[in-house]
Amino acid sequence: MFKVHRKEIDWGGRKLTLETGKIARQADGAVLATYGETTVLCTAVAAKAAKPGVDFFPLTVNYQEKSFAAGKIPGGFFKREGRPSEKETLVSRLIDRPIRPLFVDGFRNETQVICTVLSHDLENDPDIVAMVGTSAALTISGIPFLGPIGAARVAYIDGQYVLNPTADQIDKSALDLVVAGTGDGVLMVESEAKELSEDVMLGAVMYGHKNFQPVIQAIIELAEECAKEPWDLPPPAYDRAAVKARLKAVVGDDVAAAYTETVKQNRYEKIGAAKAKGLETLVAEGFEASAVATEFKELESDILRGAVIKTGRRIDGRDTKTVRPIVAEVGVLPRAHGSALFTRGETQALVVTTLGTSQDEQIIDALEGEYREHFMLHYNFPPYSVGEAGRVGSPGRREIGHGKLAWRSIHPLLPTKEQFPYTLRVVSEITESNGSSSMATVCGSSLSMMDAGVPMPRPVAGIAMGLIKEDEGFAVLTDILGDEDHLGDMDFKVAGTEAGVTALQMDIKITSITEEIMRIALDQAKDGRLHILGEMAKALTNAREGVNENAPRITVINIPKEKIRDVIGSGGKVIREIVEQTGAKIDIEDDGTVKVAAVDQKAAQAAIDWIKGIVAEPEMNVVYIGKVVKVVDFGAFVNFLGSRDGLVHISELSPQRVGKVSDVVKQGDEVKVKVIGFDDRGKVKLSMKQVDQETGEDISKRDKPAAQ
């Protein structure tokens, strides 16, 4: 019934298996990829014909994790998988980025890749398995895909690169890098690093590229056995060369003139006018409007790219290495805990930091298990930032991806929770955009957090590099504009400090790039990053001493583990009373660590004193202030230390003989008492007569003769 084809290789010390022919046979391509005991089903399907009028490649990638893969039942009310998690969204992007450039130019059929995690061994991350499985599924599908690609994760532990590290190894690593590419070169990089040098980062990329070559060969061998016949692509619907030549004759000079305009809005207005003129003229001559629109983009690309290669000058007049003017400001919002406005050319990010307690941590239910995240970075890209009116809704893949890149850039510089016991939420609102708003977010986040008093050892900056590669040569561009990103061949983002790189992300729109180009890009990026750090230093050089006055102060104290139940009380009664009475937030951990947070320091101190009173043990001959809680014939019970009561016997009420207890004290009176002993049951004996009730002085010490 089944005609199964399998390929197995030993890869990084574990077995990688690619199998097809048994599951999902109606898909154009389906591969069950297994690494260790992590298994992902990868499928690829494309429509047999393109929809009329589509002038882009409609590719969708969906990576989905099933809870049963780790032997879990989903949390929540519905007990089934719902909207994609952040990780699912990020891995979907991770798969999309290296495969998108490899589909045949002009292919417009709707294509969908679905990767489903069926088993997770909690050691091998399914993301690499999904990328490899996707490559294999597309390669055998017959869909016009110019692959295969390979992918690998690289760690850096004790000065050595490690291929496809396990979860435990990643925790010890100074680097978490994912690289994908073809046999010829690299297509995509995503990474987080602990201030590593450019040489170490480039070495990691090339190490990964070298070590996924056996995977590419295995996919080729699998395809030789079972690949479907390549699709016959229909001929172009029109003569592209003729349309492009005619368009160049009509509006070529207008487009070239538009790209000499340095102001984005004016440039777009002139380009729009040229496009309208070209459409009107060519449609009147009998050309299809969709063909004219498609070739107009090609004309724009040729003019922009040719000018840079020939002259070394860019749209806004800069050379290839100059960073646009920068203005950095901090403390721009009066009530925020920390805020910064970072402007670079026509790109601007307003970034705000909020400090919270551990009660504000994000609870994440992942296949690997539930954990808490105390650092959140959220990126928002409203339509007004590019002068457009558009829908405002939930964050999309772009917002999640850009936010995570900025998160990776900042994360290696964060203090530990022991050093800084706050939950951090950073929000970047992109208020203007013309190139690399994610890197503006990195710069603004660093400044905003330092403004809030987060003790980062050094500021972090980021910069985006571009590439224009033609037969006659190539140019690496520092601090790219939006047009250079859209019409160029590479988006290469580097973030870091003066000490090294903290994040590297690269996407290629051509089939691959060489090590030489990456080295040039890294060197130029370092110069640009150091320049930006210098401009940021004009606003703030180090983290402020102490947190902002509007932020809660967190005081950490430790109590004995056996006293935790006393502080919490039955059903949480005691801790609720402390919170309600003082207004402070209180977090108690299992090891006895207590964090007390309040904007008003008096409130925090009141809560701390209350807690200390509950856990404190009475000491002999120490004077305490207490309150009479009960009067009996033989004495008075006084609450003097947290919830601890003691008895003042009638004989200890006053130096004079007392006939009736109520003659001296009444319930509710505040009195000063001294601990004079403990009975057989551990009950505390107190004395009022040995204490001056006005001054609180121990009379026995006052009356004691001075030492000779």
Side-chain angles (χ1 to χ4, degrees):
M1 184 175 181
F2 301 115
K3 189 174 181 180
V4 178
H5 298 273
R6 290 168 58 97
K7 282 293 171 185
E8 291 185 2
I9 63 169
D10 184 76
W11 189 38
R14 279 144 285 169
K15 184 190 294 182
L16 172 68
T17 304
L18 303 174
E19 177 184 299
T20 187
K22 188 173 185 179
I23 299 177
R25 291 171 295 164
Q26 296 183 49
D28 290 325
V31 170
L32 196 66
T34 302
Y35 191 49
E37 292 184 348
T38 294
T39 300
V40 184
L41 174 63
C42 303
T43 62
V45 175
K48 302 310 176 190
K51 292 180 180 178
V54 174
D55 62 351
F56 65 95
F57 175 38
L59 170 66
T60 305
V61 177
N62 295 102
Y63 166 88
Q64 49 194 20
E65 296 182 336
K66 300 298 182 180
S67 294
F68 60 71
K72 296 175 60 178
I73 294 175
F77 183 78
F78 294 104
K79 296 299 177 186
R80 69 176 297 164
E81 291 81 5
R83 61 179 294 179
S85 66
E86 181 180 273
K87 178 175 181 183
E88 288 172 315
T89 298
L90 293 169
V91 176
S92 295
R93 282 171 52 89
L94 202 65
I95 298 167
D96 183 302
R97 285 157 49 194
I99 65 174
R100 186 175 289 271
L102 295 181
F103 287 87
V104 170
D105 187 32
F107 184 63
R108 297 289 184 265
N109 301 29
E110 184 174 359
T111 303
Q112 185 177 44
V113 170
I114 298 179
C115 301
T116 307
V117 180
L118 303 180
S119 175
H120 188 3
D121 61 11
L122 306 184
E123 286 191 357
N124 299 289
D125 198 309
D127 55 2
I128 297 297
V129 186
M131 295 173 77
V132 170
T134 296
S135 173
L138 285 168
T139 302
I140 67 173
S141 68
I143 297 170
F145 174 70
L146 304 177
I149 65 163
R153 172 172 271 106
V154 179
Y156 191 64
I157 304 173
D158 298 329
Q160 300 293 322
Y161 296 120
V162 177
L163 179 67
N164 295 334
T166 63
D168 289 340
Q169 288 176 313
I170 277 291
D171 291 339
K172 305 170 188 173
S173 176
L175 174 67
D176 181 2
L177 180 142
V178 174
V179 56
T182 63
D184 297 327
V186 175
L187 280 165
M188 186 276 297
V189 178
E190 186 77 51
S191 65
E192 178 184 336
K194 296 179 179 178
E195 297 183 285
L196 298 178
S197 70
E198 280 74 11
D199 285 342
V200 171
M201 295 299 292
L202 182 57
V205 172
M206 302 317 298
Y207 177 85
H209 180 259
K210 175 184 176 182
N211 281 279
F212 63 57
Q213 297 308 311
V215 176
I216 292 176
Q217 186 58 39
I219 295 172
I220 291 172
E221 292 174 5
L222 180 68
E224 287 173 346
E225 293 181 10
C226 61
K228 296 178 180 177
E229 288 297 317
W231 290 17
D232 291 326
L233 296 177
Y238 60 91
D239 186 342
R240 297 191 61 183
V243 176
K244 191 171 182 180
R246 181 63 184 137
L247 197 58
K248 184 175 182 180
V250 174
V251 296
D253 291 342
D254 295 341
V255 175
Y259 275 111
T260 63
E261 174 59 62
T262 59
V263 179
K264 176 184 174 182
Q265 289 81 357
N266 296 344
R267 182 168 65 251
Y268 280 18
E269 185 177 331
K270 290 181 179 181
I271 291 171
K275 184 176 182 180
K277 177 182 174 182
L279 277 167
E280 181 181 357
T281 303
L282 270 70
V283 169
E285 295 175 359
F287 294 99
E288 290 288 334
S290 60
V292 176
T294 299
E295 295 310 317
F296 186 84
K297 291 180 182 177
E298 292 297 314
L299 178 63
E300 282 187 274
S301 179
D302 289 348
I303 289 173
L304 168 68
R305 296 162 64 89
V308 173
I309 292 291
K310 291 173 186 174
T311 68
R313 310 301 296 180
R314 297 157 67 179
I315 300 171
D316 55 3
R318 285 181 294 153
D319 61 23
T320 57
K321 297 182 179 180
T322 301
V323 178
R324 287 171 289 174
I326 291 171
V327 177
E329 304 168 66
V330 295
V332 294
L333 300 178
R335 296 292 296 176
H337 299 165
S339 60
L341 184 67
F342 180 85
T343 308
R344 186 190 61 244
E346 295 168 306
T347 296
Q348 185 180 75
L350 175 64
V351 189
V352 184
T353 297
T354 306
L355 305 181
T357 69
S358 58
Q359 294 177 16
D360 300 307
E361 291 178 341
Q362 183 179 14
I363 302 173
I364 299 175
D365 185 18
L367 286 185
E368 297 81 3
E370 185 177 286
Y371 66 94
R372 291 175 175 265
E373 180 56 66
H374 77 288
F375 174 45
M376 296 158 279
L377 197 154
H378 298 145
Y379 166 103
N380 298 312
F381 192 87
Y384 67 75
S385 65
V386 288
E388 295 176 359
R391 186 181 68 86
V392 176
S394 300
R397 289 188 174 188
R398 182 181 190 276
E399 284 80 7
I400 292 172
H402 280 33
K404 190 63 176 182
L405 173 58
W407 185 95
R408 289 191 181 106
S409 303
I410 297 290
H411 184 247
L413 274 295
L414 286 185
T416 64
K417 288 180 69 174
E418 290 71 29
Q419 294 169 328
F420 193 69
Y422 287 87
T423 295
L424 304 170
R425 183 184 184 230
V426 179
V427 179
S428 174
E429 297 287 338
I430 302 304
T431 49
E432 294 181 31
S433 181
N434 185 13
S436 193
S437 54
S438 63
M439 293 297 95
T441 294
V442 172
C443 301
S445 297
S446 176
L447 289 168
S448 173
M449 291 170 70
M450 292 194 300
D451 183 50
V454 180
M456 297 170 60
R458 286 171 293 282
V460 185
I463 190 166
M465 312 298 293
L467 172 70
I468 292 176
K469 187 171 182 287
E470 298 286 354
D471 292 339
E472 58 267 33
F474 67 87
V476 175
L477 311 180
T478 295
D479 181 23
I480 54 174
L481 300 170
D483 288 331
E484 292 169 337
D485 185 6
H486 299 319
L487 302 176
D489 296 320
M490 175 179 75
D491 185 10
F492 190 98
K493 296 172 180 174
V494 187
T497 67
E498 60 182 15
V501 175
T502 57
L504 171 62
Q505 184 186 82
M506 183 179 75
D507 291 306
I508 303 299
K509 300 172 188 175
I510 53 180
T511 53
S512 64
I513 66 167
T514 63
E515 181 178 358
E516 176 196 6
I517 292 175
M518 280 190 285
R519 186 177 298 279
I520 292 171
L522 280 167
D523 289 343
Q524 274 187 223
K526 182 178 181 179
D527 293 339
R529 183 174 82 245
L530 295 177
H531 168 76
I532 293 171
L533 286 168
E535 294 298 302
M536 290 167 57
K538 295 177 182 178
L540 197 61
T541 55
N542 297 294
R544 299 194 188 280
E545 291 290 335
V547 298
N548 185 284
E549 61 181 13
N550 296 318
R553 264 65 172 175
I554 296 181
T555 304
V556 180
I557 61 174
N558 291 285
I559 64 173
K561 291 182 182 180
E562 61 271 17
K563 294 289 185 178
I564 293 176
R565 67 176 64 186
D566 297 331
V567 176
I568 295 174
S570 177
K573 178 182 176 182
V574 175
I575 196 168
R576 277 200 306 271
E577 184 182 1
I578 299 173
V579 171
E580 290 168 3
Q581 293 292 326
T582 65
K585 285 186 177 182
I586 301 171
D587 298 318
I588 302 179
E589 297 177 7
D590 293 340
D591 64 354
T593 300
V594 181
K595 298 175 184 176
V596 180
V599 175
D600 182 358
Q601 192 58 36
K602 290 182 180 178
Q605 193 58 51
I608 291 168
D609 292 342
W610 196 326
I611 293 169
K612 286 183 175 179
I614 292 173
V615 303
E617 293 291 339
E619 299 179 40
M620 277 291 293
N621 299 319
V622 174
V623 174
Y624 298 91
I625 298 175
K627 182 181 288 187
V628 178
V629 292
K630 188 177 181 182
V631 175
V632 293
D633 292 341
F634 54 85
F637 287 97
V638 176
N639 174 240
F640 69 99
L641 187 63
S643 59
R644 183 67 66 96
D645 294 344
L647 173 66
V648 181
H649 191 267
I650 190 171
S651 63
E652 292 292 334
L653 285 172
S654 173
Q656 292 78 34
R657 185 178 181 282
V658 177
K660 193 175 181 183
V661 175
S662 58
D663 291 340
V664 181
V665 292
K666 297 181 178 61
Q667 186 172 330
D669 286 352
E670 185 177 278
V671 296
K672 298 176 180 66
V673 294
K674 174 184 173 183
V675 177
I676 58 173
F678 304 89
D679 66 14
D680 296 339
R681 294 175 297 171
K683 301 294 184 181
V684 183
K685 299 177 181 180
L686 302 174
S687 172
M688 286 175 57
K689 75 179 184 181
Q690 294 187 32
V691 182
D692 187 320
Q693 292 300 306
E694 290 193 12
T695 65
E697 185 181 3
D698 186 340
I699 295 175
S700 64
K701 289 183 180 180
R702 183 180 65 189
D703 295 341
K704 189 176 181 179
Q708 297 297 318

